[in-house]
Amino acid sequence: MARGRSAGGRDFSARGTLLGGVLLVAAALLASGCGRVIRAERPVQVTPRPVEVVEGEGVFRLTARVPYWMPGEEPGGETGEGTVAGMKAVGEAFVELLTPCFGQPPVRAERLPERGGIRFEICDTLDAGAYCLEVTREGIGIRSGDAAGAFYAVQTLRQLLPPAAFSPGGPVRAVEIPEVRIVDRPCMAYRGLMLDVARHFFTVDEVKRTIDLMALHKMNVFHWHLTDDQGWRIEIRRYPELTRVGSVRRRTLIGKDPGGEYDESCRYDETPYGGYYTQEQIREVVDYAARRFITVIPEIEFPGHAVAALASYPWLSCTGELYEVRQTWDIDDRVFCPGRESTFEFIEGVLSEVLELFPSEYIHIGGDECPTKMWARCGHCQARMRTEGIDDLRGLQGYATARVERFLQAHGRQLIGWDEILESGVTPTAVVMSWRGTEGGVRAARQGNRVVMSPSTYCYFDYYQTEDTASEPLAWGGCLPLEKVYAFDPYEGLDERERACVLGVQANLWTEYIPDFGQAQYMLLPRLSALAEVGWSLDRKDPADYRRRLARLARCYDAAGFHYARHGFGE
Ligand code: TNX
C-alpha cells in the first residue's frame, strides 16, 4: 500500500531543463492568445484513499483540444453490451466534468490516437470497480476492470484537476495535471447512503444532487426511504389515495418532539406539507443514478411506520379507523394488519409496481419499530396466529416478512430489512441492515445472513457533529463527530467467514429535523467522505492522512457548489 514516490513506480524524473520549460510555456501562451492556464496542485490528494499514488515531477497540460478515446461501438472495441452502455455513461461523466473548465466539451477521438490524448481501456486483469490512472507528460491513460472502474477513475481525475479550474472567471485555456500513477479498488461492494424523503421531502433535483454527492465519493447504493408515518412519497397507480391523501400532512411539528402527538407542549406549523414522486420521476432518478454507477434500493415500510398508508386506506389497519397522516416523529402503534388477506394483496400490488420501477436486486421492506399492540386486540390477527401455529405476537411479523420475501423471490429479488427482522424469526436468505449498533449485524453474520452495517453509533448523520449542540441547528440527538465515523470498523467482532457476509456499509440521513436540502448537505458533508473511506479504503485507512486530504476535498465541494460543515477542519 505504498503512497508517495515508490521505488517500484515509474521514473518521473524531470526531463526538460528549466529554460526549456519556460520557453514552452511562453510559446504556448503566445499560441493561445490570452486565457488562463491553471497550474497543477501538489501533492496529489485523493479521497477515498487509493491503494497507491506515485507522483512524478512533470505535468500534463490539458486543453479542450486534447482528444479522448473510449472503447465503444467500433468493431472489436466493445467487451459486451453492458460495457458499451457503461462506457457511454463514463464518456458523459467525463464530458460533464471538463466542459465547465473549458467552456466547451472535449472532443472524442474517432480512433485510438497513436500517442497522447486521454485513453480509456477495459482490462481483464483488473477487478470490477478497480482502475489504474496514469498521467504522463503526454496524456492520460485509464485502465479499468469494468465501466464502473472507469467512472471511479473520472471521479479521481476530478480531484486531480486544480479547483481553480472551476472557479468563476470564465473558461480556461489549459489546466495542468500532475504526473502521477494511481492504482485503486474498492474494499467493500456496498457503499450506501439512505435518504429519508418521508419526514421531509426533497425534490427530484435535490435527489439528483444527493446522487452527485455520492458519485463524487465513489459510493454506489442509494437507499431511498419512500414511505413512513409522516408521508407516502411514491406514486402507485393501483392505489391513488396513497399519494392523494398519504403524501400530505395537515401540519408539522415545530421544534423537538416531546414524545407524543397529543402532548400539550406540541407546537405546530399549520401549513400543510407534502410532496411525492410520479413514476416517471422515479424512473428519471433511477436512470440518473445508474449512469453514475449507483443502484437505487427503494424502501417501502412494512408492517410498521405505516400511518400514511392507513390514512389513505383505513381497511389496511386492524380497526379500520380513519387516521390522519402523522405530524410528529416518535414511534406509532398504528401499523398494517397482518391478519387480513387484503393487507397482503395490497403490499404485493404496491411491490409489483415498485419492481417495475427499480431494477435493483435488493428491495427494502423496513421492518423496524413495529409495535404489536393492535395485533393483540385484533380478531384477524389472532385467527392468523392460530391457523399458522404462531405463538407470540412478534412471530406474526416474522410470518408477514417471510410472506413478502417469498413474493420478492418469486420475482427474482432479495429482501432487506432493518435488524428487527432478526427478532421475528428471519429466513436465511434475507439481508439484515444493522442499525441498533452492530450487534444485530454480528448475530446475522454468525447465522450466515448477509448484512449491511449501518449502526446508529457510527452511521447516523442526523446526529449532531459536535458536543457544542447549542451552536448547531436542531438535530435528532446523539453526537457523531467526523473522527468517529472515520474510526468505524464494520468487521469488528467477526471472523473471516462472518466477514464475508458483510456486503458493506451505509450512512443514514433521517430527516425529522432536516427541513431543507442546505441542511441535508450540512449534515452529510464531510461525514460522508469518512464513511466513503470506510467502504472504499478500509484496509488502508490513516486518520492523519485523511485530515490532510479533507482540506483538498473541501475545495472540491466548493467547486461543485456543495454546502458542508466545517467541524474537523480546525476552523
Ligand atoms: C430510528 S433507524 C428509525 C427512524 C428514525 C431514526 C432517527 C430506523 C430503522 N428507524 O424511523 O428516523 O431512528 O434517528
Side-chain angles (χ1 to χ4, degrees):
M1 304 317 151
R3 188 179 185 279
R5 280 158 238 272
S6 96
R10 266 179 71 99
D11 175 15
F12 285 119
S13 59
R15 278 177 228 145
T17 62
L18 184 62
L19 183 64
V22 170
L23 285 177
L24 265 175
V25 170
L29 274 178
L30 272 179
S32 64
C34 51
R36 295 182 299 152
V37 175
I38 310 286
R39 299 258 163 246
E41 283 199 8
R42 295 175 187 280
V44 163
Q45 286 176 317
V46 178
T47 304
R49 190 182 193 198
V51 174
E52 190 184 311
V53 177
V54 185
E55 210 169 318
E57 279 162 16
V59 294
F60 172 60
R61 193 166 252 241
L62 179 63
T63 67
R65 294 220 297 276
V66 173
Y68 72 98
W69 192 82
M70 282 271 155
E73 292 92 17
E74 79 290 343
E78 73 261 23
T79 37
E81 220 176 283
T83 312
V84 171
M87 291 311 279
K88 188 164 174 272
V90 174
E92 284 166 12
F94 177 75
V95 169
E96 198 181 300
L97 173 66
L98 292 185
T99 305
C101 295
F102 299 114
Q104 57 178 297
V107 283
R108 183 169 172 175
E110 306 250 310
R111 62 186 84 80
L112 183 64
E114 288 205 349
R115 51 200 297 244
I118 298 164
R119 304 144 180 259
F120 287 85
E121 193 188 329
I122 299 287
C123 227
D124 296 344
T125 52
L126 290 169
D127 292 337
Y131 68 90
C132 172
L133 185 157
E134 236 171 319
V135 182
T136 67
R137 292 161 200 240
E138 296 205 323
I140 302 177
I142 292 172
R143 285 182 296 125
S144 61
D146 57 3
F151 182 81
Y152 298 138
V154 171
Q155 298 311 314
T156 294
L157 185 61
R158 176 192 296 279
Q159 295 186 35
L160 298 183
L161 295 170
F166 300 96
S167 62
V172 301
R173 177 70 58 189
V175 282
E176 289 179 354
I177 306 176
E179 207 170 10
V180 69
R181 179 185 138 88
I182 296 177
V183 177
D184 204 2
R185 60 170 162 69
C187 287
M188 305 192 100
Y190 184 119
R191 304 177 302 278
L193 168 66
M194 186 222 65
L195 179 68
D196 166 16
V197 296
R199 274 58 176 269
H200 281 100
F201 182 71
F202 297 89
T203 64
V204 168
D205 282 344
E206 289 164 344
V207 171
K208 287 181 177 171
R209 287 289 280 162
T210 307
I211 288 167
D212 290 344
L213 255 180
M214 293 178 66
L216 172 67
H217 294 90
K218 304 188 175 89
M219 301 186 80
N220 65 350
V221 182
F222 176 58
H223 168 177
W224 207 357
H225 183 82
L226 286 163
T227 73
D228 215 303
D229 295 320
Q230 298 82 4
W232 183 284
R233 310 268 176 241
I234 171 174
E235 177 195 14
I236 300 294
R237 301 215 166 125
R238 267 177 219 160
Y239 297 108
E241 300 294 280
L242 288 172
T243 41
R244 198 185 66 80
V245 175
S247 73
V248 184
R249 57 174 175 262
R250 184 163 59 83
R251 55 185 188 172
T252 299
L253 186 72
I254 297 172
K256 190 83 185 152
D257 189 337
E261 196 155 10
Y262 307 105
D263 191 290
E264 283 178 8
S265 62
C266 286
R267 278 191 311 123
Y268 291 96
D269 174 342
E270 297 291 338
T271 322
Y273 184 94
Y276 70 91
Y277 309 102
T278 64
Q279 295 203 347
E280 204 174 311
Q281 288 174 320
I282 299 257
R283 284 184 209 280
E284 188 184 324
V285 168
V286 169
D287 176 63
Y288 187 88
R291 284 188 283 115
R292 286 152 184 83
F293 298 85
I294 292 170
T295 302
V296 185
I297 296 183
E299 180 182 353
I300 305 295
E301 281 266 22
F302 183 82
H305 287 273
V307 177
L310 309 192
S312 313
Y313 294 101
W315 46 266
L316 290 168
S317 81
C318 290
T319 62
E321 278 169 89
L322 192 60
Y323 302 135
E324 282 192 301
V325 177
R326 273 214 90 178
Q327 300 141 16
T328 52
W329 313 124
D330 55 322
I331 301 172
D332 203 293
D333 289 337
R334 297 166 295 177
V335 301
F336 286 107
C337 172
R340 297 172 201 257
E341 265 316 285
S342 49
T343 303
F344 291 94
E345 267 165 44
F346 168 82
I347 194 69
E348 290 180 7
V350 167
L351 288 174
S352 300
E353 294 190 28
V354 167
L355 298 186
E356 288 284 313
L357 297 168
F358 296 91
S360 62
E361 178 185 1
Y362 300 113
I363 303 291
H364 204 305
I365 58 98
D368 59 311
E369 302 177 326
C370 181
T372 56
K373 211 160 139 188
M374 302 203 66
W375 301 348
R377 296 191 299 241
C378 168
H380 295 283
C381 290
Q382 296 307 312
R384 174 80 76 195
M385 287 173 74
R386 275 194 304 280
T387 51
E388 295 293 333
I390 299 166
D391 34 53
D392 63 14
L393 286 164
R394 197 45 74 200
L396 201 49
Q397 182 175 352
Y399 163 83
T401 307
R403 237 182 111 163
V404 174
E405 187 183 14
R406 280 199 299 282
F407 174 81
L408 292 176
Q409 284 179 342
H411 292 82
R413 309 299 182 95
Q414 308 284 315
L415 175 143
I416 305 195
W418 297 109
D419 60 42
E420 281 91 338
I421 65 171
L422 279 167
E423 283 153 27
S424 54
V426 79
T427 63
T429 42
V431 181
V432 174
M433 193 168 266
S434 191
W435 74 276
R436 296 172 301 171
T438 51
E439 293 77 14
V442 168
R443 226 176 91 204
R446 295 221 162 110
Q447 62 188 52
N449 283 89
R450 286 163 299 170
V451 170
V452 174
M453 287 294 194
S454 187
S456 57
T457 38
Y458 293 95
C459 300
Y460 271 42
F461 291 2
D462 57 337
Y463 289 14
Y464 287 102
Q465 24 200 338
T466 163
E467 301 274 352
D468 178 19
T469 56
S471 60
E472 291 291 301
L474 180 63
W476 177 267
C479 181
L480 179 55
L482 181 67
E483 304 73 42
K484 189 166 178 195
V485 180
Y486 192 83
F488 178 39
D489 176 6
Y491 289 142
E492 200 184 325
L494 297 174
D495 67 23
E496 204 152 317
R497 190 188 56 84
E498 293 153 2
R499 286 174 183 212
C501 293
V502 178
L503 301 174
V505 292
Q506 180 174 290
N508 290 338
L509 194 67
W510 299 104
T511 58
E512 289 93 334
Y513 299 106
I514 302 179
D516 59 56
F517 192 56
Q519 202 180 326
Q521 295 172 67
Y522 177 81
M523 299 305 268
L524 285 172
L525 299 179
R527 289 187 287 189
L528 197 62
S529 70
L531 193 82
E533 186 126 335
V534 173
W536 185 277
S537 327
L538 187 63
D539 64 356
R540 47 191 184 265
K541 279 201 297 177
D542 174 345
D545 183 61
Y546 168 66
R547 194 167 275 281
R548 279 192 295 276
R549 284 179 286 119
L550 194 57
R552 175 67 175 75
L553 185 63
R555 296 181 55 221
C556 254
Y557 294 161
D558 290 332
F562 290 119
H563 179 50
Y564 55 93
R566 317 260 161 176
H567 316 287
F569 288 87
E571 286 177 28

